[in-house]
């Protein structure tokens, strides 16, 4: 995650003589007497080594404090990897903000002969790249030795925080306690990288930091290069954080330094997708870690704000009298710091300017102003942090409330101050008992039922930003399936409606619906007479497909309809009664004809009859007109 200061000194026949060169990878600047020399082939040969260089055997080198476990050489803090001497293994590194300049770093600790072999091949790679792109290549010799500082020294900037990964697996509780005594207030723990790597020491590092009284935040080493991979990496981060029991208020830094993530024009939109996915999963406190001189550094920093940015830049001699990057939230000024008594075990160190890493004021109010839905029945909210009970969580279960502020507590949990839509305080609640919503609608809650729209007034919404889908009148007396509901901050409940084909039909206020017992919908009052016109089909005893009678038994008979059902399928079912008021079952309206009255519908007939009685009346109509 961080770069190292690398001392490079060497005599080279480039007209430079004997020079001392200091390269700060994080700052991406090279300081040389007379400056680098551009060759005719377009390369800048910045090559040097000690007069008595550190030697390593072939195929052996060391990686110190790289934030990337999957690709150590992609990290700002990259020091050395396996020795690569062939052209096939030498790669240009697009770390410079100038798109016309790329850099090739040698492996650390090569012997003179190994370096000569590597340099020869590096020149070939640089020349090939120059011919293809016209870019200038800096060829830099990396020495295995880096300048170290001691935590607690008064000559260096105050060490407000450290960050740890698997490279600090050597640290014990006593080490964390010692750092706390030296004034270190916070620890940033690596938790994940890409969608496959989890820091195996994260749980113990978090535990030891908390026991030492340090504030804990985390970072994820990003590789995402599009929206879908950003979403996947955020989901992975959140899942790992959940497994580690970290509170939702934990700050999550996106570690933006891997070339596959940062050298893309869409880096900001990808980064925002990472943050928004974390937010949807409840982790709403985010930040950015990056170097200052990448091609898109300014855009990334502008996207989150300088105060939310943890910047990496390593001066030659970090000094307490020369604090740098004061406009940022925090400044990481060395990755080769030593704790007294730790031998040669390096730690990354940072100076915090505005509490980005070190805000450890327990129970201090932090502005939040987000809507949360209570997701737990058991437990209580509290009127104060003396743990006086305010109300039972069961009274607030599934309600959406406004969390105006959040508080870190010494028990390691984060608490929200909750207010209802009338502005009444509902108590402090453990953030783990809630979910952060995207707005006043609250979080989606699973629901599985059928409703029939019972109103002609109102609006069906396409979203909770007041985008209209249609009028409630267009759905009047239709039946829909409800798969999700939202308990709105206002107190209203909104149903997410689906038709019989599973097509989403919008959000409706539940007050405009009546809950049904099933897909048939709710019973709707009806008063008419119908005549059965088909011999085929079934008369149903219920809506669970229990048969009452065959249709043929009711053929051309007339019944009274007292109730109808507008089924989810779109079919209408009538509830039939005979002339004695006896219920005869449910029939699909497609099998009947509506009559003008009790007489039923006219039925075609072709025959002759003779009147055989002297009694009775010949009617002019069915309203008893003689």
């Amino acid at each position: 995650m961080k770069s190292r200061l690398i001392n490079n000194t060497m005599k080279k026949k480039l007209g430079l003589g004997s020079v001392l060169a200091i390269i700060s990878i994080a700052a991406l600047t090279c300081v040389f007497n007379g400056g680098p020399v551009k060759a005719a082939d377009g390369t800048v040969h910045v090559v040097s080594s000690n007069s008595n260089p550190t030697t390593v055997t072939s195929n052996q080198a060391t990686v110190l404090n790289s934030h990337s476990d999957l690709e150590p050489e992609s990290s700002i803090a990259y020091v050395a990897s396996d020795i690569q001497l062939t052209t096939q293994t030498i790669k240009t590194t697009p770390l410079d903000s100038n798109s016309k300049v790329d850099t090739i770093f040698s492996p650390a600790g090569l012997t003179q002969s190994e370096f000569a072999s590597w340099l020869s091949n590096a020149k070939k790679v640089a020349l090939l790249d120059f011919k293809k792109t016209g870019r200038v290549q800096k060829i830099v010799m990396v020495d295995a030795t880096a300048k170290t500082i001691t935590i607690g020294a008064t000559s260096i900037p105050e060490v407000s925080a450290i960050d740890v990964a698997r490279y600090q697996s050597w640290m014990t509780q006593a080490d964390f306690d010692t750092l706390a005594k030296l004034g270190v207030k916070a620890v940033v723990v690596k938790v994940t990288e890409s969608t496959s790597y989890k820091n195996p020491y994260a749980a113990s590092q978090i535990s030891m930091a908390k026991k030492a009284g340090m504030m804990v935040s985390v970072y994820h080493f990003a590789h995402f290069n599009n929206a879908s991979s950003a979403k996947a990496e955020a989901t992975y981060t959140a899942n790992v954080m959940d497994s580690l029991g970290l509170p939702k208020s934990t700050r999550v830094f996106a570690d933006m330094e891997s070339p596959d993530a940062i050298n893309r024009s869409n880096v900001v939109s990808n980064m925002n997708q990472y943050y928004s996915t974390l937010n949807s999963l409840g982790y709403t406190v985010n930040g950015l870690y990056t170097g200052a001189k990448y091609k898109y550094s300014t855009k990334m920093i502008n996207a989150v704000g300088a105060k939310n940015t943890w910047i990496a830049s390593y001066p030659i001699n970090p000094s307490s009298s020369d604090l740098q990057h004061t406009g940022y939230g925090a400044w990481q000024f060395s990755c080769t710091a030593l704790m007294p008594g730790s031998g040669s075990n390096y730690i990354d160190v940072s100076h915090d300017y505005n509490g980005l890493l070190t805000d450890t004021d327990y129970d201090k109010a932090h502005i939040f102003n987000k809507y949360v839905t209570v997701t737990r029945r058991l437990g209580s909210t509290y009127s104060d942090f003396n743990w006086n009970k305010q109300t039972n969580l069961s009274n607030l279960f599934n309600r959406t409330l406004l969390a105006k502020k959040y508080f870190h507590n010494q028990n390691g949990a984060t608490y929200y101050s909750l207010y209802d839509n009338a502005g009444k305080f509902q108590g402090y609640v453990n953030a783990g008992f809630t979910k952060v919503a995207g707005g006043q609608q609250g979080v989606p809650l699973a629901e599985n039922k059928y409703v029939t729209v019972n109103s002609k007034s109102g609006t069906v919404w396409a979203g909770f930003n007041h985008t209209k889908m249609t009028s409630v009148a267009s759905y009047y007396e239709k039946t829909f399936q409800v798969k999700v509901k939202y308990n709105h901050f206002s107190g209203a409940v909104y149903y997410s409606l689906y038709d019989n084909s599973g097509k989403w039909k919008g959000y409706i206020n539940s007050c405009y619906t009546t809950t049904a017992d099933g897909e048939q919908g709710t019973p709707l009052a009806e008063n008419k007479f119908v005549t059965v016109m088909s011999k085929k089909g079934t008369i149903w005893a219920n809506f669970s497909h229990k048969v009452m009678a065959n249709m043929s038994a009711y053929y051309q008979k007339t019944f009274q309809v007292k109730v109808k059902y507008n089924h989810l399928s779109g079919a209408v079912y009538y509830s039939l009664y005979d002339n004695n008021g006896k219920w005869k079952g449910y029939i699909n309206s497609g099998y009947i004809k509506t009559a003008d009255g009790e007489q039923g519908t006219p039925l075609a007939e072709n025959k002759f009859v003779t009147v055989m009685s002297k009694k009775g009346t010949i009617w002019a109509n069915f309203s008893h007109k003689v």
Side-chain angles (χ1 to χ4, degrees), residues 24-347:
S24 172
I25 301 177
L28 295 174
T29 59
C30 299
V31 181
F32 286 86
N33 292 334
V37 176
K38 183 174 179 180
D41 59 6
T43 64
V44 177
H45 295 168
V46 181
V47 292
S48 59
S49 74
N50 294 325
S51 56
N52 295 305
T54 301
T55 61
V56 294
T57 59
S58 182
N59 300 320
Q60 179 183 357
T62 304
V63 177
L64 297 175
N65 283 4
S66 170
H67 272 210
S68 174
D69 288 270
L70 301 181
E71 299 177 14
E73 67 277 9
S74 295
S75 172
I76 294 177
Y78 171 64
V79 178
S81 65
D82 289 341
I83 292 176
Q84 301 169 340
L85 301 178
T86 67
T87 55
Q88 288 77 17
T89 56
I90 295 176
K91 298 180 180 179
T92 58
T93 307
L95 291 176
D96 202 293
S97 59
N98 185 347
S99 62
K100 297 181 179 180
V101 178
D102 278 356
T103 306
I104 297 177
F105 291 103
S106 81
L110 299 182
T111 64
Q112 292 281 9
S113 60
E114 287 172 338
F115 174 71
S117 173
W118 177 87
L119 178 60
S120 174
N121 288 318
K123 288 180 178 179
K124 295 177 182 178
V125 172
L127 179 59
L128 180 62
D129 184 79
F130 173 73
K131 289 180 177 179
K132 288 182 178 180
T133 67
R135 290 183 298 214
V136 170
Q137 285 292 330
K138 295 180 183 178
I139 301 178
V140 180
M141 171 61 182
V142 177
D143 191 273
T145 304
K147 181 179 177 60
T148 62
I149 59 176
T150 301
I151 299 173
T154 58
S155 61
I156 66 170
E158 178 186 28
V159 178
S160 311
I162 67 168
D163 58 273
V164 296
R166 70 176 177 87
Y167 299 102
Q168 286 73 40
S169 61
W170 53 269
M171 294 181 68
T172 66
Q173 185 64 61
D175 294 322
F176 280 91
D177 294 341
T178 297
L179 287 170
K181 291 177 182 178
L182 291 171
V184 178
K185 301 178 181 66
V187 178
V188 189
V189 180
K190 177 177 182 177
V191 286
T192 49
E193 180 173 350
S194 188
T195 57
S196 59
Y197 180 81
K198 172 185 175 182
N199 175 11
Y201 304 98
S204 62
Q205 289 168 337
I206 291 168
S207 175
M208 289 187 289
K210 287 183 175 180
K211 287 180 181 179
M214 296 179 179
M215 183 69 177
V216 173
S217 53
V218 301
Y219 74 87
H220 165 78
F221 192 95
H223 288 274
F224 49 74
N225 52 36
N226 55 44
S228 61
S229 60
K231 184 175 181 179
E233 290 192 29
T235 301
Y236 183 64
T237 302
N239 289 340
V240 171
M241 291 181 69
D242 287 344
S243 71
L244 291 169
L246 288 164
K248 298 294 185 183
S249 59
T250 302
R251 188 178 296 277
V252 185
F253 288 94
D255 182 345
M256 302 298 293
E257 55 179 297
S258 177
D260 55 358
I262 63 173
N263 291 324
R264 295 176 180 272
S265 60
N266 64 344
V267 60
V268 170
S269 63
N270 295 339
M271 188 173 68
N272 287 338
Q273 178 65 65
Y274 178 79
Y275 292 139
S276 64
T277 303
L278 279 179
N279 290 348
S280 70
L281 297 172
Y283 292 98
T284 58
V285 187
N286 311 131
L288 167 66
Y289 171 90
T290 195
K293 298 293 184 178
Y294 290 135
K295 182 177 181 179
Y296 295 111
S297 288
T298 300
K299 289 185 177 180
M300 289 189 289
I301 293 166
N302 288 342
V304 301
K307 296 298 184 183
N308 291 316
T309 299
W310 177 22
I311 201 75
S313 180
Y314 310 140
I316 299 170
N317 291 301
S319 171
S320 57
S321 61
D322 183 26
L323 297 182
Q324 302 177 17
H325 303 289
T326 56
Y328 293 94
W331 168 41
Q332 186 195 64
F333 60 89
S334 176
C335 67
T336 53
L338 296 174
M339 184 178 69
S342 67
S344 59
N345 291 314
Y346 291 122
I347 304 175

